[in-house]
């Protein structure tokens, strides 16, 4: 309805006045995105403006060719960076890195020098400080690596990801994205192996392109666009839930009368409180050069999504960390809490991160774009068959890259996506693949594309993004693959390290054959056919959630790895070690250290959850239930004294008391089992015990407590319910 048609407008003119005033208020908050985009980033434009031409060129060379930066050049860059940051209000700088804790780490150093004799200070930042830092890193997980080599680690500037100034309660901090290594060069972080894997796929992709006559592309980089899901709850309610505070997820909670069954939240109108939050998030992200693009409500109540425009894998990984931190920080400013846990609430969808991945040349060729000519089509089909081979051969590694304790509640647990890795190709591509497998040629395309008969018959493949299958963990979506298993809280580094490396390996194997082939055209055709035939078992276009698929996958021999503890060993199988070492992404020692850290992290996470449950049940739930039984007993006496029927109260009392007995017994069992787990030596057996025994004891405690929540007077229940958290944001 237009305002002028509003009956109120006629009878009460102040409505119009009020309306106008409100609009003006909103108007005053408008800003031009182009003006603020990247204003806090030391980007190309700033560098061009502020660096001498020679220095700028030297830096570009370093970025493009991975050349080392000399100290004199670094000094000039550091000085320019410092001046720029100070103009933005920065007082400190930090080497911003990503240790194996899953989150980022930083230590702030101010720019000030020792005071001069006259009592003043100068602001200084040297090239040495820019390119190398030495945090006291003895408390970061190293999986034994530092113990064997050197106690301290060092951080090294990654000049392929731009520095930025972050504004928060601490003031303004110049953040320098860095890698974190041990003194002998072992990776202690996520960034180092990611950069190495990007190098591997660059080298192998260029080999492949050269075979197809491409002499112009100089560099190939993986592009990544991560879609970030999250929940928002009211901060005051959050603060009353010790489980959310300690573990990021609810450990107790009965289902509210309404869940997500009506699908009314997905893409629904965004409520004003949330819209205001999103606006501020976008503004912050744009200033930091993160191209936030899409926002919408997700499937579960109180769940939302933010997707940026894709960028180079390394930058995308850093920017996703910025996105997660910004979501959390801005939520607090709005009296909200952002939950990034994969499964904050039982019974409604959890959160994940769709990792959209493609490989692109510096001159704009996307290797996953089917192309228009038969020549391009052949290259595309070779790339596709290599990717199928890579995913089939290393499905276990891909699954592992998405494993974390929170994701265990999603993957394979009746929720998107299943734990079995398969590839969705869509109708048209599937048809072409089937023809190639059966006859070695594809003579038609079922989408009616024009037939281009060049070298051999191949249909003209058209970009087909309409055919979507949301139940597939690894789906081809037109010109990229979408890996949908990644956890919402996790860094996207691991899945991209694996993707880059397994595809580099498949490209390398293909090039080894093709470079030697006397007849390239014949060889490439037979290679495509062979790879598609050998690995077609990984392709599945049906419903990934159906129980039939689980059986079918088993018949096909595809791994169904149900938990993180079962996934971890895939990192150190012979084929994984051989591949990672061959492409210089991980050494065996690095892989072994990661395995150790992952078991440890898993055990710690479950231990915290178990202890939180014990704490909440002992100190909050049992006392509340006792209070309720006391009030029931008092009521029964009063009612009986008045000569009335107290049978309902009596029934409730016996029901409650029985559940209380059950709760106490389950609590005692959980305490005992958690103590046993804690006393075990760290490692695989301990993690397994946490998974098999502690988790089971946790579920056993949750069951009677959730039943009690449905009986006990709401006023007496010690924490906000699911209904309060999910529907009253
Ligand atoms: P969806 O329908 O799954 O939400 P979109 O088409 O909106 O998918 O894209 C999701 C993400 O994929 C975005 O971050 C987008 O920038 C990214 N994306 C698009 N094209 C590519 C590409 N070629 N390579 C990598 N990521 C891409
Ligand atoms: Mg998607």
């Amino acid at each position: 309805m237009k305002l002028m048609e509003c009956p109120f407008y006629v009878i009460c003119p102040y409505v119009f006045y009020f309306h106008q005033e409100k609009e003006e208020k909103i108007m005053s908050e408008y800003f031009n995105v182009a003006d603020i985009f990247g204003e806090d980033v030391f980007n190309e434009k700033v560098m061009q403006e502020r660096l001498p031409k020679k220095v700028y060129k030297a830096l570009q060379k370093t970025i493009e060719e991975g050349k080392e930066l000399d100290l004199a050049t670094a000094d000039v860059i550091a000085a320019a960076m410092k001046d720029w940051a100070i103009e933005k209000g920065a007082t400190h700088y930090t080497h911003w890195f990503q240790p194996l804790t899953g989150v980022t780490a930083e230590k702030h150093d101010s720019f000030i020098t020792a005071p001069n004799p006259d009592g003043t200070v100068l602001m200084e930042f040297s090239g040495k400080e820019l390119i190398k830092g030495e945090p006291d890193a003895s408390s970061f997980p190293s999986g034994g690596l530092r113990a064997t080599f050197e106690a301290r680690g060092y951080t090294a500037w990654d000049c392929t990801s731009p520095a930025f100034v972050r504004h928060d309660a601490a003031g303004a901090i110049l953040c320098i994205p860095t890698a974190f290594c041990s003194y002998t060069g072992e990776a202690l972080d996520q960034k180092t192996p990611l950069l190495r894997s990007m190098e591997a796929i660059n080298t192998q992709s260029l080999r492949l392109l050269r075979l197809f006559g491409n002499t112009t592309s100089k560099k190939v980089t993986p592009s990544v666009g991560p879609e970030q899901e999250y929940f928002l709850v009211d901060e005051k309610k959050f603060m009353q839930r010790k489980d959310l505070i300690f573990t990021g997820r609810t450990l107790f909670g009965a289902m509210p009368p309404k869940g997500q069954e009506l699908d009314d939240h997905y893409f629904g109108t965004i409520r004003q409180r949330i819209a205001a939050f999103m606006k501020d998030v976008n503004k912050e992200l744009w200033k930091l050069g993160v191209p936030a693009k899409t926002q919408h409500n997700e499937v579960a109540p109180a769940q939302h999504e933010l997707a940026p425009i894709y960028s180079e894998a390394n930058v995308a990984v850093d920017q996703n960390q910025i996105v997660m931190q910004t979501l959390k920080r801005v939520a607090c400013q709005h009296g909200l809490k952002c939950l990034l846990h994969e499964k904050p609430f039982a019974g409604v969808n959890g959160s994940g991160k769709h990792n959209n991945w493609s490989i692109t040349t510096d001159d704009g060729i996307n290797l996953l774009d089917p192309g228009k000519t038969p020549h391009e089509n052949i290259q595309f089909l070779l790339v596709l068959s290599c990717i199928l081979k890579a995913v089939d051969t290393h499905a276990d590694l891909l699954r592992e890259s998405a494993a974390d304790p929170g994701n265990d509640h999603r993957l394979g647990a009746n929720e998107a996506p299943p734990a079995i890795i398969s590839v969705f190709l869509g109708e048209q591509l599937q048809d072409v693949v089937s023809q190639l497998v059966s006859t070695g040629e594809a003579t038609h395309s079922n989408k009616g594309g024009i037939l281009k008969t060049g070298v051999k018959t191949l249909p003209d493949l058209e970009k087909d993004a309409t055919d979507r299958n949301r139940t597939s963990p690894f789906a081809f979506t037109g010109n990229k693959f979408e890996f949908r298993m990644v956890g919402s809280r996790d860094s996207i580094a691991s899945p991209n390290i694996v993707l880059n490396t397994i595809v580099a390996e498949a490209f390398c194997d293909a090039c080894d054959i093709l470079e030697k082939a006397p007849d390239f055209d014949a060889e490439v055709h037979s290679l495509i056919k062979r790879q598609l035939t050998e690995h077609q078992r990984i392709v599945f276009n049906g419903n990934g959630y159906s129980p039939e698929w689980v059986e079918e996958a088993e018949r096909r021999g595809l791994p169904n790895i149900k938990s993180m503890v079962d996934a971890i060993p895939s990192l150190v199988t012979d084929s994984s070690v051989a591949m990672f070492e061959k492409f210089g992404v991980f050494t065996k020692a690095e892989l072994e250290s990661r395995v150790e850290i992952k078991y440890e992290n898993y055990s710690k996470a479950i231990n915290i959850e178990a202890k939180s449950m014990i704490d909440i049940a002992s100190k909050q739930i049992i006392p509340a239930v006792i209070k309720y039984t006391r009030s029931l007993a008092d009521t029964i006496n009063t009612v009986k004294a008045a000569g009335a029927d107290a049978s309902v109260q009596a029934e409730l009392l016996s029901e409650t008391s029985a559940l209380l007995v059950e709760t106490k017994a389950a609590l005692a069992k959980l305490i005992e089992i958690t103590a046993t787990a804690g006393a075990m030596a760290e490692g695989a057996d301990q993690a397994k015990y946490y998974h098999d025994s502690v988790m089971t004891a946790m579920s056993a405690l949750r069951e009677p407590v959730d039943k009690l929540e449905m009986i006990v007077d709401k006023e007496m229940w010690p924490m906000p319910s699911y209904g309060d958290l999910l529907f009253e944001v």
Side-chain angles (χ1 to χ4, degrees):
M1 176 163 42
K2 284 193 210 110
L3 184 66
M4 297 301 279
E5 288 163 15
C6 169
F8 277 113
Y9 173 63
V10 185
I11 38 176
C12 45
Y14 67 84
V15 168
F16 180 66
Y17 170 73
F18 177 65
H19 183 88
Q20 246 197 348
E21 186 188 57
K22 216 169 157 195
E23 268 195 349
E24 259 167 28
K25 189 160 175 272
I26 295 169
M27 282 288 289
S28 67
E29 286 168 7
Y30 283 165
F31 51 86
N32 185 338
V33 183
D35 289 344
I36 61 164
F37 192 84
E39 72 175 27
D40 290 334
V41 186
F42 195 72
N43 55 22
E44 284 278 324
K45 186 167 167 272
V46 181
M47 286 192 253
Q48 263 178 15
E49 280 166 10
R50 291 179 175 249
L51 296 177
K53 238 194 191 94
K54 221 176 98 205
V55 173
Y56 175 76
K57 281 221 172 99
L59 180 59
Q60 285 319 99
K61 215 171 163 61
T62 308
I63 294 173
E64 272 155 31
E65 297 166 22
K67 294 252 153 49
E68 222 169 282
L69 204 61
D70 65 275
L71 214 53
T73 312
D75 274 334
V76 180
I77 300 167
M81 210 186 254
K82 177 204 70 184
D83 291 344
W84 169 83
I86 288 173
E87 281 167 35
K88 303 245 156 244
T91 51
H92 293 69
Y93 71 92
T94 181
H95 276 200
W96 187 68
F97 61 106
Q98 300 172 34
L100 298 168
T101 51
V103 289
T104 59
E106 52 195 71
K107 180 189 80 168
H108 303 167
D109 278 300
S110 77
F111 290 117
I112 62 164
T113 55
N116 297 318
D118 66 356
T120 59
V121 290
L122 290 174
M123 302 290 257
E124 254 181 22
F125 185 47
S126 68
K128 200 164 153 264
E129 286 166 315
L130 167 65
I131 54 182
K132 198 165 174 180
E134 292 180 42
D136 178 12
S138 50
S139 291
F140 291 114
S142 74
L145 272 184
R146 267 196 322 270
T148 6
F149 300 100
E150 182 75 52
R152 285 167 80 93
Y154 72 92
T155 51
W157 180 32
D158 164 24
C159 54
T160 62
S161 182
F164 55 92
V165 167
R166 191 188 56 209
H167 299 268
D168 60 20
I173 313 279
L174 169 65
C175 300
I176 302 153
T178 50
F180 177 45
C181 295
S182 76
Y183 254 96
T184 33
E186 275 77 20
L188 298 172
D189 69 345
Q190 305 272 30
K191 191 184 266 287
T192 310
L194 178 72
L195 293 172
R196 293 171 182 165
S197 74
M198 288 171 71
E199 192 44 52
I201 199 157
N202 173 43
T203 310
Q204 301 307 326
S205 302
L206 284 175
R207 268 179 86 190
L208 189 139
L209 285 169
R210 298 289 180 254
L211 282 167
F212 282 87
N214 176 328
T215 52
T216 45
S217 302
K218 286 203 206 72
K219 196 177 168 192
V220 180
T221 18
S223 303
V224 172
E227 303 164 52
Q228 177 72 48
E229 292 181 337
Y230 60 93
F231 279 83
L232 285 175
V233 296
D234 186 85
E235 189 176 21
K236 286 202 194 81
K237 294 189 184 109
F238 173 97
M239 294 311 288
Q240 293 168 52
R241 300 261 339 190
K242 295 260 184 272
D243 46 5
L244 286 179
I245 293 172
F246 292 135
T247 72
R249 76 174 177 111
T250 55
L251 299 166
F252 299 104
M255 271 306 285
K258 183 184 171 187
Q260 62 189 42
E261 57 277 77
L262 293 179
D263 287 331
D264 52 349
H265 191 254
Y266 189 55
F267 282 16
T269 311
I270 299 168
R271 270 164 302 143
Q272 289 303 291
R273 185 176 185 194
I274 307 301
F277 158 83
M278 287 179 170
K279 187 183 115 204
D280 284 353
V281 166
N282 286 331
K283 194 172 171 189
E284 292 288 304
L285 290 177
W286 288 330
K287 284 205 254 174
L288 290 168
V290 180
K293 173 86 174 163
T294 313
Q295 61 195 27
H296 60 80
N297 287 351
E298 256 301 328
V299 173
Q303 192 186 27
H304 312 277
E305 182 182 298
L306 183 156
I309 295 171
Y310 66 93
S311 47
E312 281 190 11
N314 176 33
V315 174
V317 169
D318 287 356
Q319 290 193 337
N320 183 246
Q321 292 286 357
I322 296 177
V323 166
M324 292 195 282
Q325 286 170 4
T326 306
L327 287 170
K328 283 194 166 284
R329 195 176 70 244
V330 175
C332 291
Q333 292 161 1
H334 286 255
L336 296 163
K337 277 281 179 185
C338 173
L339 309 180
L340 291 174
H341 195 283
E342 285 75 19
K343 194 74 179 176
F345 303 98
V348 295
N349 269 16
S351 300
K353 205 138 44 185
H354 289 178
N355 188 84
N356 294 271
W357 179 91
S358 66
I359 2 177
T360 326
T361 66
D362 55 335
D363 46 357
I365 305 163
N366 178 354
L367 272 70
L368 294 182
D369 201 328
K372 293 208 164 45
T373 64
H375 186 72
E376 287 170 343
N377 280 181
I378 301 226
Q379 182 184 303
F380 168 74
L381 285 172
L382 177 64
V383 168
L384 179 75
S385 69
C386 284
I387 293 176
L388 292 185
K389 173 182 160 177
V391 175
D392 186 27
T393 312
H394 298 289
D396 58 341
L397 268 182
L398 214 44
R399 164 68 181 87
E400 197 288 325
S401 76
D404 85 8
N407 232 3
D408 275 3
H409 299 282
R410 296 172 68 229
L411 304 179
N414 304 320
E415 199 192 312
I420 306 163
I421 299 269
S422 65
V423 181
F424 170 81
L425 289 180
E427 211 183 307
Q428 186 201 18
L429 207 48
Q430 177 57 51
D431 176 57
V432 170
V433 167
S434 305
Q435 290 178 59
L436 285 168
V437 168
S438 58
T439 66
E441 290 182 22
T443 52
H444 62 274
S445 156
N446 63 0
K447 281 278 158 75
I450 313 143
L451 226 91
K452 294 246 170 73
T453 44
V455 217
K456 270 202 178 185
T457 45
L458 261 183
D460 182 21
L461 294 167
E462 273 163 20
K463 185 177 157 176
D464 175 18
T466 52
D467 206 353
R468 293 291 182 91
N469 179 334
R470 295 278 162 191
T471 68
S472 175
F474 199 79
F476 182 68
T477 48
N479 61 356
K480 60 182 159 72
F481 273 100
E482 192 169 330
F483 182 43
R484 303 199 178 113
M485 268 189 180
V486 188
S488 49
R489 213 173 18 164
D490 253 356
S491 159
I492 50 167
S494 298
N496 288 300
I497 293 167
V498 170
L499 269 171
N500 296 342
T501 316
I502 63 176
V503 174
E505 182 192 50
F507 283 180
C508 176
D509 292 349
C511 292
D512 286 348
I513 294 169
L514 294 173
E515 280 166 359
K516 283 195 229 100
D519 179 348
F520 176 77
D521 289 340
E523 192 62 55
V524 78
H525 275 85
S526 73
L527 181 62
I528 291 171
K529 179 177 181 206
R530 202 161 62 239
Q531 296 198 136
L532 291 177
T533 311
E534 277 169 20
H535 301 284
Q536 59 179 325
R537 67 170 187 166
I538 197 73
V539 179
F540 178 63
N541 293 299
N543 177 6
Y545 299 167
S546 69
E548 293 80 39
W549 168 233
V550 178
E551 286 163 29
E552 167 66 18
E554 201 178 327
R555 269 195 298 278
R556 293 189 190 184
L558 300 177
N560 182 1
I561 304 170
K562 296 205 176 77
S563 73
M564 174 167 169
V565 264
D566 293 330
I568 294 171
S570 68
L571 282 171
V572 280
T573 59
D574 290 345
S575 81
S576 300
V577 174
M579 175 188 68
F580 283 126
E581 288 210 317
K582 176 173 177 183
F583 294 96
V585 175
F586 285 120
T587 61
K588 188 164 189 235
E590 285 172 338
L591 287 166
E592 281 167 349
S593 80
R594 266 154 222 254
V595 164
E596 204 179 296
I597 291 167
K598 280 173 188 242
Y599 280 131
E600 218 179 291
N601 283 351
Y602 181 85
S603 298
K604 280 181 186 160
I606 308 301
N607 189 50
I608 292 170
E609 291 190 349
K611 283 185 156 168
S612 302
M613 275 190 114
I614 293 168
D615 189 84
I616 295 165
S618 313
K619 298 208 291 230
Q620 291 187 281
I621 289 164
I622 291 180
V625 177
I626 290 174
K627 212 183 269 173
Y628 178 61
T629 52
R630 199 187 310 129
S631 84
L632 275 176
D634 290 350
T635 315
I636 291 168
N637 289 337
T638 323
V639 171
K640 274 190 180 157
D645 181 357
S647 62
V648 171
Q649 290 88 334
E651 205 180 303
L652 277 175
L653 181 57
S654 71
E655 216 179 311
T656 309
S657 298
L659 285 167
L660 184 59
V661 170
E662 227 182 282
T663 303
K664 185 69 180 63
L667 173 63
K669 181 96 187 153
L670 180 61
I671 292 172
E672 182 201 316
I673 290 197
T674 309
T676 309
M680 288 171 80
E682 279 173 357
D685 289 345
Q686 188 195 37
K688 243 187 171 26
Y689 189 79
Y690 270 107
H691 178 265
D692 297 344
S693 306
V694 179
M695 293 277 281
T696 311
M698 283 165 61
S699 307
L701 174 57
R702 178 170 182 154
E703 222 180 282
V705 172
D706 287 0
K707 283 186 194 152
L708 279 167
E709 191 186 340
M710 296 302 287
I711 299 173
V712 173
D713 185 344
K714 184 164 171 50
E715 298 295 312
M716 291 189 187
W717 198 250
M719 63 194 88
S721 68
Y722 268 30
D724 302 334
L725 287 163
L726 289 167
F727 292 98
E728 293 174 26
V729 191

